[in-house]
Amino acid sequence: MEVLRPTLIRIGGRIYRKNIIQQQSYPNEEEDDFYAGPGDLTDEPCDAFLVEETERGFQCAVEVPSSLYKYIIGKKGETRKRLETETRTSISIPKPGMEGQIVITGQQRSGVISARTRIDVLVESFRKKQPFTHFLSFALNQPAIQEKFLQFKEEVLEKCSKDHGVNSSLFQNPAKLHLTIGTLVLLNEQEIQKACELLQRSKEDFINKTVGGKSLTVEVAGIEYMNDDPAMIDVLYAKVRMKDGSDKLQLIADRLMEQFVTSGLVMKEWDRVKLHATIMNTLFRKDPNVEEKNNATTGKSSLKERETFDGRNILKIFENFYFGELQLNSVHLSQRFSTDSSGYYATSGQLTFF
């Protein structure tokens, strides 16, 4: 991280700078002990959350998924003890596995605010380390598109199977062809419900005006690759565009991501959503159900395990392959590593255009 361009964390409509923390490695411990100390942020009065006055002082409650409690507690309770000592507060955390509120109490309002702000930073820092659980998607698995995709697969294997790394394990499951808008880390039912409500709200906020009560007619045509070297490809995708040449699909994808970033459910990584449908992916070699982050952002571990393929002949022969056109009329909140009765990803929520 550059000193002059530190990582920024968005919490409750405010942006905080994340300072560099010197961390030691403890091989025998299960969890890292990250601590947002006094120098990591400015503990100024904040109206982003409610602090209640009680008979004994002040109190603030914060919703935190149970899977993140351990990061607030720390090794042997050290993080919580440090927070309580430095902010002169008491922090009550539900038992492991039980969903509920973390309650901060103290005699000074400023101390309660300080503890709450530091807990927010801890939660957001470790949320970033969690694998995503859901993603917003347009399903591209209509029968005609699946048929053309299977034709593409058959012809690639017929004409390019001798190229390095090219085999049938690379190809997407046709029933799961989709366009990813963005990925989310939703760690409990409350967060899933919040995402569903936000999805529905976006219909009134901008989607109705954009689509005018009609489906979007899109074309899936042409192929492209993610990385810089066509001889060493990890992800090959089909390009997706509006048939009428408009930017409606891009606008909806970008506005949805903007709305979810503002809500705090998604961390902003890119200015624009890359509209693409993955058709070949080296991650599929080991797990055909894997779903990669949008814009081909991958985890550290997967990079070492991936075997690239030589896509030069595929790009030359199939550069303008036409997969067909289809009508898009809904956005899915899809569950990662899942399958519904149709073969597509199981859906936690759905927005329909009309």
Side-chain angles (χ1 to χ4, degrees):
M1 181 181 74
E2 296 181 33
V3 174
L4 296 180
R5 299 181 65 185
T7 301
L8 301 178
I9 300 175
R10 182 188 296 270
I11 300 172
R14 293 187 174 219
I15 298 176
Y16 298 94
R17 182 186 72 247
K18 179 182 175 184
N19 289 345
I20 300 173
I21 304 295
Q22 190 68 34
Q23 295 191 28
Q24 273 186 288
S25 177
Y26 298 89
N28 297 323
E29 297 285 358
E30 290 185 2
E31 304 298 337
D32 293 333
D33 187 17
F34 174 93
Y35 175 64
D40 294 330
L41 48 90
T42 302
D43 300 323
E44 60 182 22
C46 177
D47 56 4
F49 42 79
L50 177 66
V51 178
E52 297 178 315
E53 188 169 4
T54 68
E55 293 180 358
R56 297 184 178 182
F58 296 88
Q59 177 177 295
C60 180
V62 53
E63 296 282 353
V64 176
S66 60
S67 59
L68 299 182
Y69 292 165
K70 56 190 174 185
Y71 301 117
I72 299 168
I73 296 170
K75 298 188 188 83
K76 299 178 181 178
E78 291 177 4
T79 301
R80 175 163 62 175
K81 289 175 187 175
R82 218 178 297 164
L83 278 169
E84 290 177 327
T85 299
E86 294 184 359
T87 61
R88 296 182 180 180
T89 59
S90 175
I91 300 172
S92 175
I93 301 175
K95 293 180 180 179
M98 293 183 60
E99 296 295 342
Q101 292 182 323
I102 291 178
V103 179
I104 307 162
T105 56
Q107 294 185 351
Q108 300 295 323
R109 186 174 188 272
S110 60
V112 172
I113 290 174
S114 175
R116 166 63 192 265
T117 306
R118 295 181 199 186
I119 286 174
D120 283 345
V121 172
L122 280 170
V123 168
E124 290 307 311
S125 295
F126 284 102
R127 181 183 287 277
K128 287 182 179 179
K129 296 184 179 182
Q130 308 303 310
F132 71 91
T133 59
H134 295 73
F135 58 100
L136 296 174
S137 71
F138 285 107
L140 304 178
N141 62 346
Q142 283 81 342
I145 302 295
Q146 289 195 48
E147 185 177 338
K148 290 292 288 184
F149 169 77
L150 290 172
Q151 177 189 332
F152 168 81
K153 177 181 178 179
E154 182 180 342
E155 292 184 13
V156 167
L157 292 175
E158 179 185 331
K159 299 174 183 179
C160 306
S161 61
K162 293 183 179 180
D163 295 342
H164 174 74
V166 176
N167 59 50
S168 61
S169 68
L170 292 171
F171 291 84
Q172 174 69 281
N173 178 344
K176 290 191 171 182
L177 287 167
H178 67 279
L179 186 160
T180 300
I181 300 171
T183 57
L184 302 92
V185 177
L186 305 177
L187 299 177
N188 58 25
E189 288 301 319
Q190 289 90 336
E191 292 189 346
I192 293 172
Q193 183 61 34
K194 182 180 177 182
C196 291
E197 292 171 358
L198 188 61
L199 196 57
Q200 294 304 321
R201 195 155 63 244
S202 66
K203 182 176 181 179
E204 297 179 5
D205 290 349
F206 61 89
I207 287 182
N208 283 344
K209 183 178 179 180
T210 303
V211 302
K214 299 179 181 178
S215 298
L216 299 178
T217 303
V218 303
E219 292 182 312
V220 184
I223 59 174
E224 191 54 87
Y225 60 103
M226 287 290 189
N227 53 305
D228 298 327
D229 187 351
M232 299 179 67
I233 294 177
D234 277 318
V235 177
L236 188 78
Y237 63 90
K239 292 182 276 189
V240 184
R241 62 181 181 239
M242 288 290 298
K243 186 177 182 180
D244 63 7
S246 71
D247 63 349
K248 288 182 181 179
L249 183 61
Q250 184 71 59
L251 178 63
I252 288 173
D254 289 342
R255 287 291 303 275
L256 276 171
M257 280 304 292
E258 180 183 326
Q259 191 128 320
F260 274 78
V261 167
T262 301
S263 75
L265 288 174
V266 173
M267 299 303 297
K268 184 172 183 177
E269 296 182 272
W270 313 95
D271 290 331
R272 285 167 65 85
V273 174
K274 187 176 184 67
L275 298 177
H276 71 284
T278 298
I279 52 177
M280 298 174 72
N281 189 332
T282 55
L283 289 178
F284 294 155
R285 292 190 198 278
K286 292 193 174 183
D287 184 356
N289 294 313
V290 76
E291 165 61 27
E292 190 161 42
K293 290 191 76 173
N294 199 21
N295 295 313
T297 302
T298 59
K300 294 184 287 185
S301 59
S302 64
L303 291 174
K304 297 178 182 178
E305 301 167 1
R306 301 175 81 152
E307 177 195 348
T308 61
F309 65 94
D310 186 345
R312 288 174 292 184
N313 284 330
I314 298 175
L315 289 162
K316 183 178 180 180
I317 299 170
F318 301 97
E319 179 182 6
N320 297 309
F321 189 90
Y322 189 74
F323 294 90
E325 73 173 61
L326 68 155
Q327 306 295 314
L328 297 182
N329 54 32
S330 62
V331 178
H332 300 262
L333 177 62
S334 301
Q335 299 174 30
R336 192 182 188 190
F337 304 128
S338 68
T339 305
D340 67 11
S341 58
S342 73
Y344 193 64
Y345 297 93
T347 298
S348 295
Q350 185 173 339
L351 177 158
T352 54
F353 292 169
F354 47 83

